[in-house]
Amino acid sequence: MHDFDFQNARYLFTDVDDTLTTDGRLRPETYSALWRLADAGIIIIPVTGGCAGWCDQIIRTWPVQAVIGEGGSFYFSRAANGSVDCRYWAERESHKADRLAIIEAISALNPALDIALSKDHHFRLVDVAIDYNQDRRLSDAQVREVMQELLNRGFRVKKSSIHINVAQGTFDKCAMTRRLAAELFNLSTEELKAQSVFIGDAPNDESMFAFFPQSVGVANIVPHLDQLKCRPAYVTSRRCGAGFVELADQWLASIALPGSVTRK
């Protein structure tokens, strides 16, 4: 990452699971890196497959301006007075109907696969998450079978580092990122690309890697690279949260250079 150009970067979009977290935990040095970036004027927006319950906690307690959740199906933003607003990709009622259809389809899959929904299932608003690598373990072959069966039924299926996320609709992480940027910050597509950095770790980040020229994968993305048609422009030397700290340190060092301007 020695030639990474932070000159025009003002916005940081970041995945959460296994990008900010390390072995399921948010380590203090990673959380500190978020605050150091925010204090330097960087606008931080997590973009996660994580549930609405998690996103509510993030928007209320982390140094972030907004958070995109459940793979791009909604975003939470915080007003100047501290109140939180939620904007869905489509109508809330249509999302509820889609979710019921997904749960019904999952229940009809091969019982031998021993599929379990994620523990955060009841805190989700739009998508449905199947646990394959968090509290439960599915083999690579089982993951492929589950994903293909659900794709055959017409659902949108993405794999994070811990879940298989299933949804209906045209949204994904990148589509909602572009909508959020226009609605909250009045950014055009080209302005968003020029002023942003994205960092992630998994196949469900591929649309972000494809969109952002300044894209970064933490080192634990390496086993997934063969699955990606669009890869990150850079890969950190360290994994998970330590890789995020690596990016933050380099970004903050560039801001501290003579002639640079802290963005407040």
Side-chain angles (χ1 to χ4, degrees), residues 152-207:
N152 291 344
R153 287 164 167 77
F155 298 116
R156 188 177 58 79
V157 184
K158 300 286 185 179
K159 186 176 76 168
S160 76
S161 58
I162 57 173
H163 294 155
I164 300 168
N165 296 95
V166 191
Q168 285 270 52
T170 58
F171 62 84
D172 63 13
K173 285 185 172 184
C174 187
M176 186 56 97
T177 294
R178 296 173 68 175
R179 180 182 289 186
L180 177 152
E183 292 178 351
L184 295 187
F185 307 117
N186 198 31
L187 293 176
S188 69
T189 296
E190 291 310 310
E191 288 171 331
L192 176 61
K193 286 184 175 182
Q195 298 178 37
S196 304
V197 174
F198 172 71
I199 183 167
D201 78 295
N204 67 340
D205 295 318
E206 185 169 16
S207 64

Side-chain angles (χ1 to χ4, degrees), residues 46 48-61 64 67-70 74 76 84:
T48 177
C51 68
W54 192 355
C55 293
D56 183 79
Q57 177 271 133
I58 288 173
I59 190 64
R60 295 181 189 278
T61 61
V64 302
V67 55
I68 295 171
E70 296 183 27
F74 63 83
F76 290 164
V84 172

